[in-house]
Amino acid sequence: MQSYELTCIQCPIGCALTVTVDGDAVKVTGNTCPRGEAYGVKEVTAPSRTVTSTVALTGGALRRLPVRTAGDVPKAKIFEVMEQIKKTRVKAPVKLGDTVIENVCGTGTDVIATKTVK
Amino acid sequence: MTQHDIIIIGGGPAGLAAAIAARKAGIGDVLILERDDKLGGILNQCIHNGFGLHTFGAELTGPEYAERYSDQVEELGIPYKLRTIVADVSENREVTYVNSTEGVVTVKAGAIVLAMGCRERPRGALGLPGYRPAGIFTAGTAQRLMNVEGYSVGKKVFILGSGDIGLIMARRMTLEGAQVCCVAELMPYSGGLNRNIVQCLRDFNIPLLLSHTVTKIHGKYRVEGVTVSQVDGNRRPIPGTEEFYECDTLLLSCGLLPENELSRQAGVGIDRVTGGPVVDDSLMTDIPGVFACGNVLHVHDLVDYVSEEASRAGEHAARFVKGSVPEGREIRLEGSGGVRYTVPQLIRPDTMADSVVVRFRVADVYRDKSIAVYYDGVRVQKRKKRIMAPGEMEQITIRKDGFAASVPEKITVTVED
């Protein structure tokens, strides 16, 4: 059995959660609402994050193009995703929402532009 | 002298929302003056997500949030001048601006909306001992250098202050390959949002030292390290607790200060606590026709509230131009017992809207306390709050029909059991 101490981030109260994992059974205590329980379970079973960064841009008014993953990627893959982002170069013009990297690191999520640069 | 109906000083989130609201309220002649080379203000460098949950029900990044507003400004054909800095605002609503194509120009405004935002507290205002080597940045400066200009700011970073920008930069620099050794916070609690502490520090095992501060900066030409000490209840360093951290970069995230030089030049009354103008319920300052909104008025926690407040300022400025002037009796608002300030500081019951949102911040972390509102010493509202913290804005609503029977002289907002 493994136990994790977390702070819930679903609202400003910030409940101190204890999540215990025993085989397939995940139990959350310390939460005061169902959102806290869902957060606790997800954080220990499949934590994920949106990654935001910038990529090199040529031919536009800016040198860097801000980007993000369109959806969440597994937390363990954040640095792998960053490596791909660092290697990427984009040419202006770019529109907000344009795909910059397709299916980044096999996560099923694209990296998209978060700014329009003419 | 050229005349404009409404001049908006600043093209960040507040200025854009104010301009859009003024135009939608029927004012054709609205002009935005912006000193940077693009609209959007600080949102352009805030490439992280988490903006717009209240306004759009989506977690947008700063540039995405800004573009929703700058797109509207373009669609509505609202004129704006970039690379244009306002040098002076006068009491009779004359605005003097400077840019490289027109030179120095003075224009007259029917109404002015102050939306200049805020600035970070710099090293000079913190009294940090040591030389002045390269490698000391405010967190926002580092953010701009990294996210907009594309520079690497440092390799081994120490962060003083746990404001949100500092926390965001701790993650950002870690993702870019820097090592962030530690975040030190003078206060016994963090001024940043909970989710930023979790997702920017704990995700990357970056320690947060509460009740600690930097007591020496080492290095003559480039930062070589910092000495950090624990502080006592009076925020004084405790001798014997010094610890050395090797680093090449020190980021400062130690608070934001509304940028009110222009307001002061114009003679606008400034609130000692917020550092922003004293305003009434229409967000009008003590100079008729001069309105204020966003971080120049008081430092906000979420941009969503900036946009909402700025829209109201824009609407009220439009009404003023059309001849509807906030006037009549005045009710003073004040914060006490843990409520540091209120915005607005004044309500005019004769011309106020049906309800007015009053925003404020508390002085400490309070658990299971209440927010109470008193009219001349008589309690009229009380609401339990499970938690209140200095890093987050709180709000109450004052209703006009509450003054039907009698108008109080003073409204007091307080924290109580």
Side-chain angles (χ1 to χ4, degrees):
Chain A
M1 192 173 85
Q2 259 189 307
S3 168
Y4 303 86
E5 303 292 331
L6 305 174
T7 305
C8 182
I9 61 165
Q10 298 301 300
C11 82
I13 293 172
C15 293
L17 309 180
T18 304
V19 188
T20 52
V21 184
D22 194 357
D24 283 345
V26 182
K27 201 171 156 240
V28 181
T29 54
N31 60 306
T32 48
C33 79
R35 286 166 67 205
E37 184 177 0
Y39 173 77
V41 172
K42 177 137 198 310
E43 273 300 288
V44 302
T45 54
S48 64
R49 301 284 185 266
T50 295
V51 176
T52 67
S53 188
T54 64
V55 298
L57 181 72
T58 53
L62 295 173
R63 295 170 58 188
R64 306 297 299 182
L65 174 72
V67 298
R68 69 172 165 94
T69 53
D72 281 4
V73 298
K75 193 177 158 191
K77 287 208 169 185
I78 290 176
F79 282 96
E80 213 180 305
V81 169
M82 278 301 296
E83 282 311 308
Q84 287 305 307
I85 288 175
K86 278 177 203 170
K87 284 184 201 155
T88 306
R89 300 183 156 271
V90 171
K91 256 196 180 142
V94 190
K95 267 182 69 188
L96 189 153
D98 280 358
T99 300
V100 172
I101 307 172
E102 257 179 71
N103 185 19
V104 65
C105 302
T107 56
T109 296
D110 297 341
V111 172
I112 58 170
T114 58
K115 190 176 177 68
T116 301
V117 183
K118 283 171 190 145
Chain B
M1 193 184 296
T2 314
Q3 165 108 19
H4 293 283
D5 281 342
I6 299 180
I7 293 180
I8 291 169
I9 305 176
L16 297 180
I20 292 162
R23 170 61 65 87
K24 285 183 175 168
I27 304 296
D29 183 13
V30 179
L31 174 65
I32 304 169
L33 302 175
E34 165 59 43
R35 68 180 167 193
D36 207 343
D37 57 6
K38 49 190 166 295
L39 295 175
I42 210 72
L43 287 168
N44 287 309
Q45 67 185 57
C46 298
I47 61 162
H48 55 282
N49 59 318
F51 302 92
L53 267 172
H54 296 267
T55 313
F56 300 113
E59 272 207 44
L60 305 174
T61 62
E64 289 171 300
Y65 189 95
E67 207 161 309
R68 294 209 178 185
Y69 284 88
S70 56
D71 279 354
Q72 275 193 72
V73 165
E74 301 284 358
E75 277 160 28
L76 293 166
I78 300 171
Y80 54 87
K81 291 179 192 291
L82 302 175
R83 300 179 197 90
T84 298
I85 193 146
V86 174
D88 189 60
V89 177
S90 76
E91 201 179 351
N92 52 1
R93 298 199 297 275
E94 287 172 10
V95 175
T96 303
Y97 65 80
V98 188
N99 62 37
S100 61
T101 51
E102 295 170 272
V104 182
V105 182
T106 300
V107 289
K108 174 99 180 137
I112 293 171
V113 179
L114 304 171
M116 295 89 79
C118 62
R119 209 185 270 166
E120 295 173 281
R121 184 170 279 126
R123 178 190 173 183
L126 296 169
L128 294 179
Y131 283 110
R132 299 178 168 203
I136 306 172
F137 304 90
T138 57
T141 300
Q143 189 180 43
R144 181 179 171 113
L145 288 172
M146 186 169 251
N147 295 347
V148 180
E149 319 278 345
Y151 294 105
S152 155
V153 175
K155 293 194 174 80
K156 201 161 182 190
V157 187
F158 190 97
I159 300 178
L160 175 62
S162 61
D164 285 310
I165 313 168
L167 300 176
I168 293 289
M169 282 308 289
R171 172 175 62 187
R172 181 78 189 111
M173 296 199 69
T174 305
L175 289 178
E176 287 292 344
Q179 186 200 338
V180 179
C181 13
C182 184
V183 176
E185 167 62 54
L186 180 69
M187 303 301 285
Y189 50 80
S190 166
L193 299 174
N194 205 4
R195 73 168 176 201
N196 286 336
I197 293 172
V198 171
Q199 296 203 332
C200 299
L201 299 188
R202 287 205 204 136
D203 269 10
F204 304 101
N205 300 314
I206 300 167
L208 171 61
L209 290 178
L210 298 173
S211 299
H212 279 73
T213 193
V214 169
T215 44
K216 185 170 181 180
I217 297 170
H218 301 262
K220 191 164 182 184
Y221 300 104
R222 176 79 198 191
V223 173
E224 289 166 9
V226 292
T227 297
V228 178
S229 304
Q230 200 180 332
V231 298
D232 63 20
N234 297 317
R235 296 181 226 162
R236 274 193 295 262
I238 303 170
T241 61
E242 297 87 359
E243 213 170 312
F244 178 77
Y245 288 81
E246 192 192 320
C247 59
D248 58 29
T249 304
L250 173 65
L251 297 192
L252 305 171
S253 181
C254 303
L256 301 169
L257 310 163
E259 194 171 341
N260 276 292
E261 284 80 358
L262 290 172
S263 321
R264 285 200 185 88
Q265 274 169 302
V268 166
I270 302 290
D271 183 313
R272 216 172 41 84
V273 181
T274 59
V278 172
V279 292
D280 66 14
D281 52 274
S282 71
L283 303 171
M284 190 170 81
T285 67
D286 56 1
I287 298 182
V290 178
F291 297 79
C293 55
N295 280 355
V296 82
L297 178 57
H298 58 136
V299 175
H300 291 60
D301 52 353
L302 301 182
V303 70
D304 300 79
Y305 298 135
V306 168
S307 301
E308 181 271 333
E309 180 182 273
S311 298
R312 278 192 286 131
E315 285 162 17
H316 284 294
R319 241 173 261 158
F320 182 89
V321 168
K322 289 177 180 167
S324 158
V325 179
E327 60 191 359
R329 290 170 292 181
E330 296 179 355
I331 307 169
R332 262 185 315 124
L333 274 101
E334 70 172 31
S336 80
V339 174
R340 292 184 54 229
Y341 67 84
T342 68
V343 169
Q345 292 88 344
L346 211 64
I347 286 181
R348 299 177 196 274
D350 300 318
T351 52
M352 74 182 279
D354 288 342
S355 68
V356 170
V357 173
V358 176
R359 296 213 161 99
F360 57 92
R361 283 186 195 250
V362 294
D364 205 344
V365 177
Y366 298 104
R367 286 180 188 276
D368 295 314
K369 297 268 186 181
S370 297
I371 294 169
V373 182
Y374 289 82
Y375 290 180
D376 286 338
V378 180
R379 191 167 69 203
V380 293
Q381 280 187 40
K382 184 173 174 174
R383 189 158 45 97
K384 204 137 190 94
K385 294 283 293 183
R386 287 201 48 199
I387 190 150
M388 288 181 279
E392 301 194 29
M393 291 196 323
E394 300 292 338
Q395 66 177 57
I396 54 160
T397 303
I398 302 287
R399 296 188 55 83
K400 184 172 188 164
D401 54 21
F403 305 136
S406 70
V407 173
E409 269 180 32
K410 190 170 84 174
I411 296 176
T412 310
V413 186
T414 179
V415 175
E416 60 186 37
D417 287 328

